[in-house]
Amino acid sequence: MKPLSMWEATSNHRKDRPHLQGDTHCDVVIIGGGYTGLSAAYHLQKKNVKAIIVEKWQAGQGASGRNGGEVLTGYIGSMEAWEKKKGLESAKMMWQLSLDSIHLIEDIINKHQIRCDFKRNGDLFAAYKPGHMDALKRDQEYMARVMNYHDIKIVEKEDLPSEMNTSFYQGGRIDYGSAHFHPLNYALGLAEAVEEMGGIIYENSPAIKIERNSGKVTVTTPEGRVIADELVIATNGYADDVNPTIKKSVIPIESIMISTEPLPEELAEDIIKNDRAIHDTKRLLYYFRRTSDHRLAFGGSGRASSKRDQKNLFHQLHQGMLKVFPQLKGVRVEYQWGGKVGFTKEMIPYMGRLEDGTYFGFGYCGHGAAMSSLFGKMIADHITNEGLEDNPLMIDQLKPIPFHSHHAKAVGILKFYKKLQDAIS
């Protein structure tokens, strides 16, 4: 079993980038070189605003290069539920933003010819239980009637073989607006686009201190400093102590993935007929898809308290894959990896500005492959005073989640898991 992610093993060439040494100046310094930070830098540079990224590891090494590559419409939970929480107009704006996020990614990929196997073939939300089909049908009716969105199709159980060769599910629904891509190759391509626009990325340069003085912000790394007018923190589930308020407002949840060896093309096309991104309604969901080299990439929950537990979770995930596709028995699993998904207390992404002027965007709740690029753009727009008015994803004040002691954190995360499972089931 190879320890690195399948995406890393099959990625395009990764450039060697320097780490920060000495002092340098810019208009905006960005902590975090994932989709959010890269997109913020890209869109700032388009406005001739000089941006510098300091990244703890390498660009795209966190969730942006480890996720399932499913670029999905919407948010966790139904838009009908979000209408009840936020009101109709806000829910409509939220839905449009989710569509805009995928259009934005597609435009960037096309403009810069990023080789990341982007395909807008839709997603299939598979029903684990017969009763889940009722919710999917209600959602289709609501989306057409209220959101004027007609790109959703219900697939009854008897018609499911036209989508997947499995008896594990009870049907599902297709949303033709979704897409999938090679997540790390998109991050690498976006990083190169930032540099083409004049932005600078320093890798292996963790931010260890932030100071504000005389209208400037200084971000210190082990061997250098960036002095800037504005600061963006875009660390999501990998937030650390450099800003305790943000760290205490995001809940990092472990997710794991496995990938098979390349399958015979006929087998790959038989198990998932139309090359869609697939996820399901299980309480601890599975998500999976074909890759361009005919592998099956299969993901699920990765919560574990020890390396032994982690090993067991990978074994259980493999067994889950065989329950969905028993015809893959005997196929070698070539890669296994994990990473952190950032969640918020409200199960919705947050963006905004702290009292000290720090801009932030995080907590994509499993929809970061789509939403984070748009968040980067919206942060850039707000910095240049061109942001949306009444953006329903803007938050006025971050309220840290009260996980203070080790015991409280453990209990709190267990409660959060139940809330998460209720939201997605």
Side-chain angles (χ1 to χ4, degrees), residues 84-152:
K84 293 176 182 177
K85 293 177 183 178
K86 297 285 189 178
L88 179 58
E89 291 309 310
S90 289
K92 286 183 174 181
M93 287 181 66
M94 286 171 60
W95 177 251
Q96 187 58 53
L97 287 173
S98 88
L99 298 179
D100 292 346
S101 71
I102 305 177
H103 295 317
L104 175 66
I105 291 167
E106 191 168 17
D107 288 345
I108 292 172
I109 289 169
N110 290 337
K111 180 175 181 178
H112 295 277
Q113 295 296 293
I114 299 175
R115 295 181 294 112
C116 61
D117 305 313
F118 180 88
K119 288 187 178 180
R120 201 156 190 180
N121 287 0
D123 75 90
L124 174 63
F125 195 15
Y128 178 55
K129 296 180 179 179
H132 294 173
M133 286 295 293
D134 295 336
L136 295 179
K137 291 175 181 178
R138 184 173 66 248
D139 185 56
Q140 180 205 33
E141 186 276 332
Y142 172 86
M143 293 301 295
R145 175 175 53 85
V146 178
M147 296 291 169
N148 195 31
Y149 185 73
H150 302 279
D151 285 345
I152 294 176

Side-chain angles (χ1 to χ4, degrees), residues 180-299:
H180 62 72
F181 60 14
H182 189 299
L184 180 54
N185 279 344
Y186 172 64
L188 297 179
L190 185 55
E192 292 190 10
V194 167
E195 292 167 330
E196 289 171 13
M197 304 290 289
I200 299 173
I201 303 169
Y202 291 107
E203 296 183 333
N204 300 304
S205 301
I208 56 177
K209 185 168 64 173
I210 298 170
E211 298 172 292
R212 290 184 178 272
N213 187 33
S214 301
K216 295 286 185 178
V217 59
T218 299
V219 174
T220 301
T221 69
E223 296 185 44
R225 300 188 308 169
V226 182
I227 298 96
D229 297 321
E230 303 286 359
L231 168 65
V232 176
I233 295 182
T235 48
N236 197 28
Y238 291 83
D240 55 25
D241 293 332
V242 73
N243 187 294
T245 300
I246 290 176
K247 181 181 179 180
K248 291 177 181 178
S249 301
V250 62
I251 304 169
I253 300 295
E254 294 290 330
S255 185
I256 58 174
M257 292 197 75
I258 57 177
S259 170
T260 68
E261 62 187 326
L263 305 174
E265 186 173 351
E266 300 79 11
L267 176 58
E269 292 178 351
D270 179 60
I271 60 174
I272 301 176
K273 310 287 187 179
N274 299 303
D275 199 12
R276 305 196 202 283
I278 300 173
H279 50 117
D280 67 21
T281 62
K282 284 172 71 273
R283 277 185 171 268
L284 292 177
L285 83 164
Y286 294 144
Y287 56 95
F288 50 93
R289 46 165 288 220
R290 285 161 36 189
T291 66
S292 62
D293 57 350
H294 311 304
R295 303 172 188 271
L296 180 69
F298 196 94

Side-chain angles (χ1 to χ4, degrees), residues 310-340:
Q310 192 79 355
K311 184 177 180 180
N312 289 337
L313 285 172
F314 279 114
H315 174 73
Q316 292 168 14
L317 186 61
H318 186 193
Q319 294 305 304
M321 182 186 79
L322 295 179
K323 288 179 181 178
V324 178
F325 297 117
Q327 61 269 50
L328 296 183
K329 184 177 181 180
V331 170
R332 182 167 57 95
V333 170
E334 192 169 4
Y335 298 97
Q336 62 181 38
W337 69 98
K340 298 177 182 179

